[in-house]
């Protein structure tokens, strides 16, 4: 059986700058894959190519064996890809529940219906999704007044509305308090494993990455420089060099210090 | 051949004034991000003040000095307006700024009549340029050559100003990143005021230089502002070079359009603009803009369907309206019918603007198309009223299908401009295609069927259609389609990521809004018994905008209240005062500054505040929402 997501030779350049080049990887259903790397490594570009927001210059993205390169985000979504954004994107003029209801209506192909009250549509399903992310108590609240951590959880509920096979989460815990981060990722990992959803996420918080990821990929200057289990990646000298520096100056200074 | 050359020279001469006004508008937009509708008013003021001064002081010094002083005086007036009005609304949505400056335009039109009278004025000739030069055996006024030379000179001077002075460098920096300039310790307030004064100076100069060529009249502001919009949109908002090139392009199109296609000469310019907007939405020399500030969707109080009590209230209100014919006279009934028609028109615009987040500046096009559709049915097919009311609005629908397809590709100011352009195209066709539309004389004798011909009968018919129409629109707001539309307005990113096709959804909303406006237009044709080109002209579009704003742009059905109050006020003012524009303009300005949420929005705020006291730390729900948004933006 082929992998849920199979990416081959993905490349994107802006002018002369290679934002992403030659990225290849595979993701199986029910596994959690982390994509890490320093700022400007090309993580977000990678993500935006995966869900169709940016068209790659080269490469192939196959979802369950089917090519999805060139499809707009809405078509990629229809094939079962949920997505959360680095900066939350929700509908501030609606209530929390209505945010989920819109996604559900779209999933059930009912958004062109011109009669009927949308606020009454798919209520139990919306409430179930909200309960899943621990937001059921806030269903009636205006989305525009939510705290940022709650918005992130709401985004997760929206992203789960189309019963996705693949979840793309761009920095899911950015801007959250430490405890909230741990809670949200535990919740995501639990949902993913229960439902067999493949999750690809980027993250700067290494605690989050190493607690939940089955595998970790490291992106630097648009290229994958390491792939493996969290343990392997932790010990990779190249990865250490990127995150901690080559040590040239630090070591030299300390050698001088000890010599003196 | 010689004739063409002379025609081209005349076009170039007209381009000079157009360029002056357009460059001013462009500079102001570049730095302040305000589309100054009042720019035409300053152009007109420049002409009037220059007329007075040059009339008083004769001789070359009196003439040229008079023109210079006139421009300085008008620039000072502009600076005053910036300080008193615009400073208060810099953070408001673009739509509000457009409306506020439109309010000023209305006021200036009446003030000008008050001071200088309604008669057209004939200014003096320019000393030293009274003669004509023979070019290929044809006479060309020597003043035209002065104007032709002036365009490039002003362009060069502006370039020197922006590249050679410290002030100019700051202005260019502010055009690229206002916040950065502010954080570098530059006093933004005075920078803005001085930029605005410069822009107004250029507009006034454009007007003052016209006095030897044409008469000065109190309608010259609207005619120039539309052309100037076209120029800056083609050239690119914020680009002076673009304004120069586009001014020449538009003037030559005007000069030769008359020769080549006299029937549709006016359409040509707008067609070019529409093509530019579709192919290169940011104009020939402009740069793509970031996401515009949406006028709607800022509220964090989600909409709800009406409660049982509210439904009863509405039912009572409809009953009261339906009983009006029992005790009201014929005049009151015809006023009532007209108000009802505009309730439907405003509700349709509100659907597009508030629910769809698309502020149209040319919604009258579909109103007028509906009216003409009904008139065509009666005049050419001899259809009875019932059939004409059914089929007529389809012309509005067809117009919305065609124009909407182009418009939904744009957003913000550019969307507003393109809708304005299409409305002007529709107006030009109605105005110039005399064989079919009767041109300026309109089409007369569009009367209702016998059963509805009494004021009472027609009132009841209109009431029924309007109640159903507004009801259907409200149903759409709360339908899944309405939610999808709001989703696309609230967050394009998120809506695309949950499978919503933004363009198709907004196009459908455009068509819905156009169709209901068409129904209102068809009713209007039978109410008045006639249709005229002004049914699709800019003032009708702006009336609609003001009604929506007055009612409350954040509300579900505020447009209904807004239309009733505005139309009643307008009709009453017309009967009471000669200066209705002055009062109306003042009302708009006050409204934008003091009550940006409109009547219904204001009342809802009051109710909300009473029901839910603010949080103890003083941070109400608004503040919490704001914090969330700020955090989200980081």
């Amino acid at each position: 059986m082929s992998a849920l997501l199979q990416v081959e030779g993905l490349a994107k350049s802006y002018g002369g700058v290679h934002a992403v080049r030659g990225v290849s990887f595979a993701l199986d259903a029910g596994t959690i894959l982390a994509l890490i790397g320093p700022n400007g490594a090309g993580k977000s570009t990678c993500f935006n190519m995966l869900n169709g927001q940016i068209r790659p210059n080269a490469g192939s993205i196959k979802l369950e064996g089917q090519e999805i390169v060139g499809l707009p985000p809405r078509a990629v979504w229809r094939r079962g890809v949920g997505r959360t954004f680095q900066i939350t994107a929700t509908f501030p003029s609606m209530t929390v529940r209505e945010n989920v209801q819109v996604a559900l209506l779209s999933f059930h192909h009912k958004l062109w219906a011109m009669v009927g009250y949308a606020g009454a549509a798919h209520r139990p399903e919306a409430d179930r999704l909200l309960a899943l992310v621990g937001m059921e108590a806030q269903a009636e609240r205006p989305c525009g007044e939510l705290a940022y951590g709650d918005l992130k959880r709401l985004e997760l509920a929206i992203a789960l509305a189309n019963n996705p096979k693949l979840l793309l989460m761009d920095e899911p815990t950015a801007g959250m308090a430490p405890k909230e981060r741990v809670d949200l990722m535990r919740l995501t990992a639990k949902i993913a494993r229960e439902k067999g959803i493949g999750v690809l996420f980027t993250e700067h918080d290494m605690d989050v990455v190493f607690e939940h990821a089955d595998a970790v990929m490291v992106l630097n200057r648009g290229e994958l420089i390491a792939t493996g289990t969290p343990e392997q990646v932790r010990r990779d000298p190249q990865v250490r060099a990127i995150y901690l520096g080559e040590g040239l100056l630090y070591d030299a200074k300390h050698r001088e210090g000890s010599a003196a | 051949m010689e004739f063409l050359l002379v025609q081209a020279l005349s076009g170039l001469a007209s381009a000079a004034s157009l360029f002056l006004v357009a460059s001013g508008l462009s500079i102001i937009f570049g730095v302040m991000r305000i589309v100054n509708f009042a720019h035409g008013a300053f152009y007109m003021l420049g002409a009037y003040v220059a007329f007075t001064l040059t009339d008083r002081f004769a001789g070359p010094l009196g003439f040229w000095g008079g023109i210079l002083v006139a421009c300085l005086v008008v620039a000072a007036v502009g600076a005053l307006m910036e300080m008193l009005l615009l400073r208060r609304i810099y953070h408001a949505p673009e739509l509000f700024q457009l409306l506020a400056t439109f309010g000023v335009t209305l006021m200036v039109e009446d003030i000008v009549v008050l001071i200088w009278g309604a008669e057209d004025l004939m200014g003096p000739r320019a000393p030293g340029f009274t003669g004509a030069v023979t070019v290929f055996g044809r006479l060309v006024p020597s003043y035209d050559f002065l104007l032709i030379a002036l365009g490039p000179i002003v362009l060069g001077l502006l370039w020197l100003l922006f590249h050679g002075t410290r002030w100019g460098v700051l202005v260019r920096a502010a055009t690229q990143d206002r916040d950065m300039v502010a954080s570098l310790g530059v006093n933004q307030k005075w920078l803005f005021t001085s930029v605005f004064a410069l822009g107004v100076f250029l507009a006034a100069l454009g007007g003052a230089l016209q006095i030897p060529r044409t008469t000065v009249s109190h309608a010259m502001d609207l005619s120039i502002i539309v052309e100037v919009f076209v120029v800056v949109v083609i050239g690119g908002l914020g680009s002076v070079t673009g304004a120069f090139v586009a001014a020449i392009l538009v003037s030559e199109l005007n000069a030769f359009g008359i020769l080549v296609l006299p029937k549709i000469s006016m359409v040509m310019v707008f067609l070019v603009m529409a093509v530019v907007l579709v192919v290169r939405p940011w104009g020939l020399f402009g740069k793509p803009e970031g996401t515009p500030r949406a006028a709607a969707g800022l509220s964090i109080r989600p909409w709800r369907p009406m409660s049982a009590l509210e439904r009863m209230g509405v039912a009572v209100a409809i009953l009261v309206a339906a009983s009006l014919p029992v005790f009201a006279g014929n005049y009151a009934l015809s006023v009532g019918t007209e108000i009802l028609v505009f309730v439907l028109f405003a509700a349709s615009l509100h659907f597009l603007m508030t629910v769809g987040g698309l502020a149209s500046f040319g919604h009258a096009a579909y109103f007028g198309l509906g009216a003409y559709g009904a008139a065509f049915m009666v005049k050419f097919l001899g259809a009875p009223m019932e059939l004409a009311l059914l089929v007529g609005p389809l012309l509005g629908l067809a117009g919305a299908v065609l124009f909407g397809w182009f418009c939904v590709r744009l957003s913000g100011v550019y969307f507003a401009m393109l809708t304005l352009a299409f409305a002007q195209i529709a107006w030009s066709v109605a105005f110039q295609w005399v064989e079919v539309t009767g041109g300026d004389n309109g089409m007369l004798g569009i009367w209702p069927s016998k059963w509805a011909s009494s004021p009472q009968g027609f009132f009841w018919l209109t009431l029924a259609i309007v109640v159903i129409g507004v009801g259907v629109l409200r149903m759409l707001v709360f339908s899944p389609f309405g939610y999808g539309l709001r989703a696309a307005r609230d967050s394009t990113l998120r809506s695309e990521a949950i499978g919503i096709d933004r363009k198709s959804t907004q196009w459908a909303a455009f068509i819905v809004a156009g169709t209901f406006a068409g129904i209102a237009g068809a009713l209007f044709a039978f109410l008045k018994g006639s249709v005229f080109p002004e049914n699709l002209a800019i003032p009708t579009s702006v009336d609609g905008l003001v009604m929506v704003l007055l009612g409350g742009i954040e509300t579900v059905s505020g447009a209904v209240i807004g239309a009733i109050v505005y139309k009643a006020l307008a009709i009453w003012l017309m009967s009471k005062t000669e200066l209705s524009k002055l009062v109306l303009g003042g009302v708009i300005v006050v409204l934008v500054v003091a009550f940006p949420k409109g009547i219904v929005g204001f009342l809802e705020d009051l109710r909300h505040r009473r029901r839910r006291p603010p949080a103890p730390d003083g941070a109400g729900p608004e503040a919490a929402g704001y914090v969330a948004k700020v955090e989200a933006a980081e």
Side-chain angles (χ1 to χ4, degrees):
Chain A
M1 202 192 118
S2 66
L4 171 65
L5 179 70
Q6 184 82 45
V7 176
E8 291 293 344
L10 206 56
K12 178 79 194 175
S13 54
Y14 296 102
V17 183
H18 295 282
V20 171
R21 52 182 160 179
V23 167
S24 305
F25 65 90
L27 171 65
D28 289 319
T31 58
I32 299 178
L33 179 60
L35 178 64
I36 64 171
N39 286 326
K43 299 187 300 291
S44 288
T45 306
C46 236
F47 255 71
N48 289 339
M49 285 193 281
L50 289 178
N51 91 316
Q53 251 171 273
I54 302 178
R55 206 191 159 105
N57 299 126
S60 109
I61 306 167
K62 287 198 168 111
L63 187 71
E64 294 185 316
Q66 286 190 324
E67 188 62 60
I68 58 168
V69 164
L71 295 181
R74 55 178 186 275
V76 173
W77 180 82
R78 288 255 172 247
R79 303 206 171 189
V81 179
R83 156 118 212 219
T84 68
F85 294 95
Q86 188 177 347
I87 297 164
T88 56
T90 51
F91 308 127
S93 77
M94 303 181 192
T95 66
V96 170
R97 185 189 288 120
E98 285 169 346
N99 266 271
V100 183
Q101 280 171 318
V102 172
L104 285 169
L105 281 165
S106 178
F107 176 57
H108 294 290
H109 295 277
K110 283 186 197 154
L111 267 187
W112 286 97
M114 303 217 170
V115 286
Y117 174 40
H122 306 294
R123 250 180 116 113
E125 212 178 335
D127 285 341
R128 192 179 53 75
L129 282 168
L130 286 174
L132 203 59
V133 298
M135 290 282 291
E136 72 273 35
Q138 313 201 46
E140 300 283 342
R141 282 185 73 189
C143 168
E145 63 172 43
L146 287 185
Y148 197 56
D150 290 340
L151 278 177
K152 287 271 184 185
R153 288 197 282 167
L154 172 59
E155 264 215 317
L156 180 59
I158 296 173
L160 289 171
N162 64 335
N163 226 346
K165 302 168 195 140
L166 172 67
L167 205 50
L168 301 174
M169 303 177 84
D170 196 357
E171 302 203 14
T173 68
M176 291 173 86
K179 173 149 180 359
E180 282 184 308
R181 292 172 182 228
V182 174
D183 289 348
L184 182 79
M185 276 322 285
R186 283 196 180 143
L187 180 71
T188 310
K190 188 169 143 263
I191 296 169
R193 299 208 202 284
E194 276 172 10
K195 302 194 170 213
I197 301 172
V199 177
L200 177 68
F201 74 105
T202 68
E203 191 51 67
H204 281 297
D205 185 335
M206 291 305 136
D207 288 332
V208 168
V209 171
F210 290 112
E211 186 187 349
H212 297 292
D214 298 310
V216 178
M217 298 187 292
V218 186
L219 199 62
N220 188 36
R221 297 177 184 220
E223 286 179 295
L224 280 183
I225 56 160
T227 312
T229 63
E231 204 45 44
Q232 286 167 337
V233 168
R234 261 184 122 105
R235 270 186 266 128
D236 189 299
Q238 246 189 308
V239 176
R240 293 182 154 222
I242 290 171
Y243 273 92
L244 301 177
E246 304 279 356
L248 294 174
L249 300 174
Y250 181 85
D251 287 352
K253 193 173 156 198
H254 281 252
R255 265 199 299 276
E256 278 162 26
S258 58
Chain B
M1 186 60 216
E2 294 84 11
F3 175 64
L4 291 184
L5 189 80
V6 171
Q7 195 71 12
L9 283 177
S10 152
L12 278 180
S14 313
S17 268
L18 201 53
F19 161 64
L20 287 174
V21 186
S23 64
L25 190 76
S26 218
I27 292 168
I28 291 174
F29 179 83
V31 177
M32 302 156 82
R33 290 287 178 274
I34 278 191
V35 179
N36 180 24
F37 211 118
H39 220 63
F42 290 124
Y43 163 87
M44 179 170 72
L45 270 183
Y48 269 106
V49 177
F51 168 82
T52 300
L53 290 177
T54 52
D55 199 44
R56 175 84 47 90
F57 306 103
L61 189 69
F63 182 83
W64 299 112
I67 282 188
L68 189 67
V69 172
C71 298
L72 289 174
V73 168
V74 177
V77 173
L80 203 66
M81 174 184 126
E82 195 273 344
M83 288 190 276
L84 293 179
L85 173 62
L86 296 183
R87 277 187 190 179
R88 292 167 204 278
I89 54 171
Y90 277 129
H91 295 285
E94 284 150 348
L95 171 68
F96 285 54
Q97 296 160 355
L98 263 173
L99 268 171
T101 48
F102 180 78
V104 171
T105 307
L106 283 180
M107 291 166 76
V108 170
E109 277 180 15
D110 263 0
I111 291 171
V112 160
V113 174
L114 262 184
I115 300 177
W116 285 280
E119 299 285 310
D120 287 6
L121 303 175
M122 195 70 187
R125 290 297 191 86
F129 295 91
T130 48
V133 182
T134 312
V135 180
F136 296 117
R138 285 168 192 275
L139 288 176
V140 176
S142 54
Y143 189 71
D144 277 11
F145 286 100
L146 177 74
L147 288 180
I148 292 171
L150 200 70
I153 291 172
V154 171
L155 180 65
L157 285 177
L158 284 175
W159 192 88
L160 280 179
L161 181 66
F162 287 131
H163 290 81
T165 66
R166 185 185 134 78
W167 182 82
V169 172
L170 286 179
V171 168
R172 280 193 298 137
T175 308
Q176 294 192 1
D177 193 333
R178 281 194 285 182
D179 297 333
M180 192 63 198
V181 172
S183 65
L184 290 174
V186 176
N187 188 337
Q188 236 185 345
K189 273 188 181 170
W190 287 109
L191 188 66
F192 277 22
T193 307
S194 54
V195 166
F196 197 79
L198 172 70
V200 171
F201 179 88
L202 290 169
L205 185 61
L209 288 173
Q210 283 296 307
I211 55 171
R213 290 188 90 207
T214 54
T215 56
V216 183
S217 82
H218 61 96
M220 61 196 288
D221 57 339
L222 267 190
S223 61
I224 189 106
I225 195 68
V226 174
E227 265 190 24
V228 166
F229 275 166
V230 172
V231 166
V232 291
V233 165
I234 291 178
L237 276 165
S239 163
V240 175
T241 318
F244 183 74
V245 174
I248 292 177
L249 181 71
V250 167
S251 298
E252 294 298 343
L253 269 175
N254 276 335
F256 286 102
I258 299 256
L259 301 179
V260 186
L261 299 159
K263 286 269 173 267
I264 57 158
S265 61
M266 286 163 158
V267 176
M268 266 201 350
V269 173
F270 293 105
L271 274 181
V272 170
M273 168 174 165
V275 169
V276 168
L277 272 179
V278 169
V279 179
R280 227 181 122 81
W282 49 92
L284 296 177
F285 290 80
K287 290 193 200 78
E289 283 292 317
T291 335
R293 282 173 302 223
L298 306 169
S299 163
I300 54 157
R301 204 176 312 133
W303 290 344
R304 305 219 177 276
M306 278 188 276
S307 66
L309 194 70
E310 284 164 331
R311 274 164 209 271
M312 263 168 57
V314 170
V316 169
I318 293 171
L319 277 177
V320 169
S323 64
L324 202 63
V326 179
F327 50 82
N330 283 357
Y331 174 71
L333 274 183
S334 87
V335 168
T337 313
E338 187 166 339
I339 289 175
L340 282 173
V341 167
F342 278 91
V343 163
L344 185 57
F345 176 57
S348 72
L349 177 61
H350 170 275
F351 184 75
L352 187 63
M353 256 170 82
T354 299
V355 189
L358 300 165
S360 166
F361 267 63
H363 202 53
Y366 315 99
F367 180 82
L369 282 174
Y372 273 100
F376 292 155
M377 287 301 290
V378 172
K379 284 285 150 187
F380 298 134
L381 299 175
M385 177 194 76
E386 295 79 3
L387 190 62
L389 275 182
L390 273 177
V391 180
L394 295 183
L395 195 61
L397 182 145
V401 168
L402 179 66
F403 298 159
W405 189 86
F406 292 99
C407 292
V408 296
R409 258 132 253 277
L410 307 175
S411 60
V413 174
Y414 291 100
F415 175 88
M417 295 286 156
L418 190 58
T419 49
L420 183 75
F422 279 130
Q424 282 302 102
I425 291 177
W427 176 82
S428 312
V429 171
F431 190 78
Q432 287 193 315
W433 201 8
V434 182
E435 294 85 354
V436 175
T437 62
D440 206 14
N441 296 325
M443 297 170 79
L444 308 176
I446 322 293
W447 296 114
S449 298
K450 198 142 196 218
W451 62 270
S453 60
S454 70
Q456 289 80 6
F458 197 73
F459 178 84
W460 274 319
L461 174 71
T462 307
L463 181 69
I465 293 175
V466 169
V467 165
I468 293 170
V470 173
V472 168
L473 282 170
R474 203 181 153 98
M475 184 189 77
L476 280 178
V477 173
F478 288 101
S479 75
F481 170 68
Y483 270 65
L485 187 60
R486 267 163 72 199
R489 175 200 75 189
D490 276 9
S491 168
T492 312
L493 194 62
R494 171 50 70 195
S495 54
E496 279 280 336
I498 58 166
I500 298 172
D501 186 349
R502 181 186 67 84
K503 277 181 198 160
S504 309
T505 308
Q506 292 186 337
W507 189 27
F510 202 103
I511 295 168
V512 166
T515 309
F516 280 93
I519 296 172
L523 280 170
F524 192 70
F526 282 104
L527 169 68
K528 296 287 172 184
S530 56
V531 287
F532 290 102
E534 67 241 36
N535 294 148
L536 9 80
I538 297 175
T540 311
S541 293
V542 174
D543 278 356
L545 284 170
V546 177
M547 289 173 197
V548 173
L549 191 70
L550 182 63
I553 192 159
E554 299 278 303
T555 61
V556 191
S557 290
V560 174
I561 307 292
I564 295 172
V565 172
Y566 177 83
K567 201 70 204 174
L569 193 69
I571 293 174
W572 181 72
L573 276 178
M574 269 308 205
S575 67
K576 285 286 167 206
T577 164
E578 295 279 295
L579 303 171
S580 56
K581 282 190 207 162
L582 185 64
V583 181
L584 216 57
V587 168
I588 294 174
V589 169
V590 169
L591 197 73
V592 169
V593 174
F595 297 97
K597 288 187 169 181
I599 299 172
V600 178
F602 180 72
L603 292 178
E604 276 182 2
D605 269 4
L606 277 185
R607 193 173 72 167
H608 193 70
R609 225 170 280 159
R610 223 178 34 199
R611 198 181 288 167
R612 218 169 103 175
D617 58 358
E622 267 90 342
Y626 176 71
V627 171
K629 266 179 209 150
V630 168
E631 278 174 356
E634 278 168 7

